Amino acid sequence: MTRRINRMTQKFGDKYHIWHLERIWEATKDLPVINVEIESLKHLDAVCWFDDGFKATLRNVVEHFVRMESADIDYPIILDPNGQIFDGAHRVAKAMANGQSTIKAVLMNEVPPPDEIADSIY
């Protein structure tokens, strides 16, 4: 049922910037791991996975539920230089559901250029 998408996307204007996460994981693997208060994360009240092109249907919510349940919170999340979640929202959701107040994270010094820029991600 679930599809694994190892990418991070951000919309800038009418274009999507796409980073392949394998490259980000490799670039951040030697950064120091810190503990971050989950409540300090800026994404907690943002719409992360859904938009007009990918609606919060029951099927799509279940897909993300399955990804949260299978997320490995032993791997640190990756934060951009501003402290925004760059990779790891499913791990954060799982940690929150488990009642954790902190999560392991690494903080990128800079965001590399995207691997792709596209008109659509669907």
Side-chain angles (χ1 to χ4, degrees):
M1 176 204 294
T2 63
R3 63 186 191 278
R4 182 66 181 133
I5 303 172
N6 288 331
R7 69 179 185 193
M8 194 299 206
T9 61
Q10 284 185 339
K11 191 170 185 180
F12 293 96
D14 62 346
K15 300 286 184 183
Y16 290 90
H17 290 214
I18 304 164
W19 289 265
H20 300 171
L21 287 174
E22 288 84 0
R23 182 172 66 97
I24 301 300
W25 297 332
E26 181 65 26
T28 60
K29 70 179 183 183
D30 295 325
L31 292 176
V33 176
I34 58 175
N35 281 314
V36 174
E37 292 287 331
I38 291 173
E39 284 297 321
S40 74
L41 297 172
K42 299 170 185 168
H43 271 86
L44 297 185
D45 296 309
V47 177
C48 291
W49 303 307
F50 306 105
D51 60 23
D52 290 337
F54 190 70
K55 296 189 183 301
T57 64
L58 182 59
R59 183 183 314 277
N60 292 340
V61 169
V62 168
E63 175 182 328
H64 281 281
F65 173 79
V66 170
R67 289 182 65 187
M68 286 183 274
E69 283 289 303
S70 65
D72 188 344
I73 54 178
D74 288 333
Y75 289 97
I77 64 171
I78 300 173
L79 303 175
D80 74 11
N82 297 316
Q84 297 273 20
I85 299 171
F86 196 83
D87 174 50
H90 291 97
R91 282 170 274 161
V92 171
K94 182 175 185 173
M96 289 176 68
N98 289 344
Q100 292 178 225
S101 61
T102 63
I103 192 164
K104 292 188 266 186
V106 296
L107 181 63
M108 289 192 289
N109 297 319
E110 64 181 0
V111 176
D115 295 297
E116 301 175 53
I117 298 176
D119 294 328
S120 174
I121 57 171
Y122 304 106

